[in-house]
Amino acid sequence: AFGRIGLVPIMRRGTRHTGVLRRLDLDTGSGLVVRDTDDAEVFVHISAISRRQRRHLSAGDSVIFRTVDGAYRDLVTKLRRKR
């Protein structure tokens, strides 16, 4: 199944990671997540987060997410708060 992040079509499947939400700006629709494995920052577009999850996420939350290789950097395709 295909999805979209901005104007870039991407595959929904990707590599699963855990990390910490560094920031999420609902006004601009973007944020950053830091992976636990290598401390790399990964871009998050608001479309990767369900509306239900958006209400409960804040900076510093532990999260589970999937990434795919984008044209210039890794992109998060799905993100949720870690239980």
Side-chain angles (χ1 to χ4, degrees):
F2 281 93
R4 286 192 176 272
I5 291 186
L7 298 176
V8 181
I10 50 104
M11 291 294 292
R12 282 279 179 209
R13 292 277 178 199
T15 308
R16 186 175 174 186
H17 300 280
T18 59
V20 176
L21 184 64
R22 174 157 293 164
R23 72 173 182 86
L24 180 63
D25 186 346
L26 297 176
D27 293 330
T28 63
S30 64
L32 291 173
V33 176
V34 178
R35 279 193 294 236
D36 286 340
T37 54
D38 58 4
D39 291 331
E41 287 186 341
V42 184
F43 175 79
V44 180
H45 188 268
I46 197 77
S47 63
I49 307 167
S50 73
R51 289 182 188 213
R52 176 187 277 173
Q53 287 285 321
R54 290 177 205 166
R55 289 182 266 158
H56 303 290
L57 283 171
S58 60
D61 284 349
S62 293
V63 292
I64 298 171
F65 57 99
R66 291 191 177 274
T67 61
V68 294
D69 294 334
Y72 302 104
R73 59 185 169 194
D74 287 349
L75 300 171
V76 174
T77 59
K78 186 166 182 138
L79 180 140
R80 69 175 174 84
R81 198 165 92 184
K82 198 172 181 181
R83 296 179 192 168

